[in-house]
Amino acid sequence: MDLNGQDRPTLRRIGLTATSLEPLLDAMADIGHRSIGEGHHATVYDVPGHPSLVVRAGNGVDGMATYIVHGRVALRRFTGIHVPVVHDLQITDCGGMVVLAERLEEIPDEPIWQSLIEAAEFALQGRASPDQIALLADQQPDFMEFARELRSVSGRSHFDTREGNFMLRGGDLILSDPFGQCLFESEVEALRSRLPLPALGRVPQPSPRRDTACPLVL
């Protein structure tokens, strides 16, 4: 499913046509994709020949799916500013999720960026101090509004802001994956109402390996 129109990159266009996760991971290994990051439920790979793209492959539908939906609807105006750009998404036959997205930059180890991340964390909780609000207004002028919208659409005030979930796109601070947990049943239903998903019913397993991809059958 191409999320952003016919001219955007898709999994098929980069050579990933398998509909099950294990054959898809095999194809990625053959093509030369390298792991560049790993979370509990998903692994992120580079895309040979396409340095501006990454593939995120996971053993289940996790909180990233919710964020993608919000990025297409309620948070659309923040996509590419504080929400990552997602080009394509596929739910595999065994219930895994594969995402093709833009490649982001790591946060520099500099005091100004550490102060901005701290301010952003408090803003997301609705607890930013006047000095933090002023810093964000000067350096990331849309972030306070983004934080308010994210709390509103998600009904949450605590997000996954561990190291690696704040990244950069040029000079813009991107919150890459704030829902670092599995979906509840109600969230799966909300996601299915917007995207053509197959039946889902299992908790995502740890990050996929070629010998353990989608070990459970729905």
Side-chain angles (χ1 to χ4, degrees):
M1 171 184 17
D2 184 350
L3 297 181
N4 291 287
Q6 293 183 346
D7 295 332
R8 298 291 184 179
T10 67
L11 292 164
R12 181 172 292 275
R13 288 175 186 158
I14 65 169
L16 301 181
T17 60
T19 58
S20 294
L21 190 55
E22 187 168 359
L24 187 141
L25 291 173
D26 287 339
M28 290 175 65
D30 292 340
I31 292 170
H33 292 259
R34 295 178 300 108
S35 171
I36 57 173
E38 184 177 314
H40 184 65
H41 299 307
T43 299
V44 177
Y45 300 87
D46 68 0
V47 180
H50 301 275
S52 64
L53 300 175
V54 295
V55 173
R56 181 186 188 272
N59 270 326
V61 176
D62 61 5
M64 187 65 183
T66 294
Y67 198 36
I68 291 170
V69 171
H70 289 326
R72 290 282 294 165
V73 187
L75 300 175
R76 186 181 184 93
R77 67 186 179 278
F78 300 109
T79 296
I81 303 173
H82 297 304
V83 178
V85 174
V86 172
H87 299 295
D88 200 5
L89 179 151
Q90 177 183 337
I91 306 300
T92 67
D93 294 343
C94 58
M97 186 173 78
V98 183
V99 174
L100 180 66
E102 65 174 337
R103 184 166 184 168
L104 301 170
E105 308 156 36
E106 294 185 0
I107 301 288
D109 185 17
E110 300 172 0
I112 181 60
W113 285 109
Q114 302 311 312
S115 296
L116 278 167
I117 289 174
E118 183 179 12
E121 289 175 338
F122 278 97
L124 289 165
Q125 298 169 23
R127 301 192 299 119
S129 68
D131 286 347
Q132 289 172 328
I133 292 172
L135 177 63
L136 288 169
D138 180 59
Q139 299 290 326
Q140 303 287 325
D142 296 309
F143 197 89
M144 287 298 299
E145 184 182 359
F146 163 68
R148 285 192 294 269
E149 284 292 315
L150 183 59
R151 290 198 306 275
S152 176
V153 301
S154 67
R156 306 178 187 190
S157 60
H158 291 86
F159 302 96
D160 189 349
T161 56
R162 77 184 98 177
E163 184 178 359
N165 277 353
F166 280 114
M167 308 271 306
L168 287 179
R169 185 181 196 262
D172 293 324
L173 188 62
I174 302 287
L175 183 59
S176 63
D177 187 9
F179 303 131
Q181 58 183 349
C182 304
L183 291 175
F184 295 106
E185 183 177 353
S186 60
E187 293 179 289
V188 172
E189 291 303 321
L191 178 64
R192 187 182 289 118
S193 72
R194 296 188 180 278
L195 297 176
L197 304 182
L200 304 171
R202 64 178 177 84
V203 173
Q205 301 298 304
S207 299
R209 302 288 188 278
R210 284 196 294 164
D211 57 348
T212 61
C214 291
L216 302 181
V217 178
L218 295 176

